[in-house]
Amino acid sequence: MAASPLRGGARTLGGYRPGALTVHRSPAEIGPVSRALRAAGRKIALVPTMGALHEGHRELIRHARRASGAIVPAVSIFVNPLQFGAGEDLERYPRPLEADLEVCREEGVELVFLPGVTDMYPEGADTTVAPGALGDRLEGEVRPGHFAGVLTVVAKLFHIVAPELAFFGEKDYQQLVLVQKMVRDLDFPLSVVGVPTVREPDGLAISSRNAYLSPDERRYAPVLQRALVAGASVSARGSEAVLDAARAVLAEESALQVEYLELTAPELGPAPQTGPARLLAAARLGGTRLLDNVAVRL
Ligand code: PAF
């Protein structure tokens, strides 16, 4: 039997061992591994994360592993300061590193990229990716500069890890659309795959920030998804009916302060009269922001 080029060349692959998890802490460490894997015909499938890995991330990793070809499943873990605004939760964002590595091991991840802030943003690095007009709407209106921070780090991760495939959850739908647009507009040589939102049994979209909810807030939180589902259920009656039905459910829960509720085209332009559309909402519940969205067919 012919020896695998990877097994034979393990020493030149920065310690990469098929089937085992290796952690790389800087662009200088992971760059040569990634280049050698590509040269050996392997496809890196990257799940970019900020850690605090949950069932939603596990689902992204499972999709990455199921992709066709000689896949090397990879996860990046980096709490990106550039995408947090003043007064947001950068300092308290959960960082359970050992648990995250255990999740990666359990899910069969082979490469973890775990850089520090100065590895990603060395002194003087102030070039950023501008998201265009869509970056100022919806989430971008509530969190100015957020998507410039997201696209900048994602662009850097794509260059450093050089995946052929990258997986993002539909939970952060505007982020997914903007990353797909950046890849198209700037000719990144990779495919971005969107993965449906993973939900708790009561419908709440799983998010690392759900950990901030008090027990009472946790009970009210699924109202956001119920409102979106109520809207989607009357989609045959047109866009006004969708928005009215969603608003009626949201109005029942005064603890939820709605920041936006919008019906758009799938790419987030104006909603069509008929055909596929997206219903998106964000709301504050105490000190926590909840985001959600569902597909709608008008
Ligand atoms: O969705 C996230 O966790 C982050 O926005 C991402 C894509 C990892 C960029 O920091």
Side-chain angles (χ1 to χ4, degrees):
M1 190 176 79
S4 148
L6 292 183
R7 287 182 196 283
R11 268 181 298 122
T12 59
L13 288 172
Y16 169 77
R17 296 188 307 282
L21 178 132
T22 53
V23 178
H24 305 268
R25 292 177 180 268
S26 69
E29 270 183 36
I30 200 162
V33 182
S34 153
R35 284 192 290 279
L37 286 167
R38 284 176 83 99
R42 302 289 299 267
K43 281 190 193 171
I44 297 179
L46 177 66
V47 177
T49 81
M50 298 206 299
L53 302 182
H54 49 60
E55 197 50 39
H57 296 112
R58 286 182 187 266
E59 186 65 8
L60 294 175
I61 298 168
R62 288 174 200 139
H63 273 75
R65 289 192 61 191
R66 285 200 294 267
S68 67
I71 293 296
V72 177
V75 166
S76 61
I77 299 176
F78 178 62
V79 182
N80 173 33
L82 216 59
Q83 69 189 75
F84 288 77
E88 291 188 353
D89 56 343
L90 174 60
E91 301 307 327
R92 71 167 175 150
Y93 198 86
R95 291 164 170 85
L97 181 58
E98 282 314 312
D100 285 348
L101 293 179
E102 194 47 38
V103 169
C104 289
R105 257 181 229 109
E106 285 169 10
E107 296 298 336
V109 173
E110 292 181 325
L111 298 183
V112 170
F113 181 46
L114 184 65
V117 173
T118 53
D119 297 307
M120 293 302 278
Y121 302 117
E123 182 80 33
D126 58 4
T127 305
T128 55
V129 176
L134 177 55
D136 294 331
R137 293 189 36 235
L138 300 163
E139 277 303 285
E141 203 170 330
V142 183
R143 304 181 69 189
H146 171 65
F147 287 119
V150 170
L151 293 189
T152 300
V153 81
V154 170
K156 286 176 70 83
L157 292 169
F158 287 173
H159 287 308
I160 294 165
V161 182
E164 298 206 6
L165 298 162
F167 293 77
F168 291 82
E170 287 183 354
K171 155 83 170 52
D172 294 306
Y173 189 78
Q174 190 177 7
Q175 167 174 283
L176 168 64
V177 170
L178 281 167
V179 170
Q180 283 170 330
K181 188 168 183 314
M182 175 182 76
V183 162
R184 253 190 339 265
D185 290 354
L186 302 184
D187 303 300
F188 279 79
L190 64 107
S191 303
V192 174
V193 183
V195 174
T197 304
V198 179
R199 298 183 180 280
E200 301 284 3
D202 62 6
L204 177 65
I206 294 183
S207 159
S208 306
R209 289 184 168 105
N210 291 351
Y212 300 155
L213 296 169
S214 71
D216 271 350
E217 290 166 351
R218 175 64 190 81
R219 273 192 288 116
Y220 308 140
V223 172
L224 191 64
Q225 188 250 2
R226 280 208 291 278
L228 297 177
V229 170
S233 71
V234 295
S235 60
R237 306 213 310 258
S239 52
E240 276 314 309
V242 169
L243 290 167
D244 285 348
R247 276 189 209 110
V249 174
L250 289 169
E252 287 166 18
E253 188 43 74
S254 59
L256 274 187
Q257 293 174 317
V258 180
E259 290 180 331
Y260 58 81
L261 170 71
E262 278 199 35
L263 185 63
T264 69
E267 303 269 289
L268 299 177
Q273 294 286 327
T274 57
R278 205 85 194 177
L279 182 60
L280 304 101
R284 249 175 214 290
L285 185 53
T288 308
R289 291 192 69 241
L290 302 176
L291 308 188
D292 208 342
N293 66 90
V294 296
V296 172
R297 179 162 280 278
L298 293 167

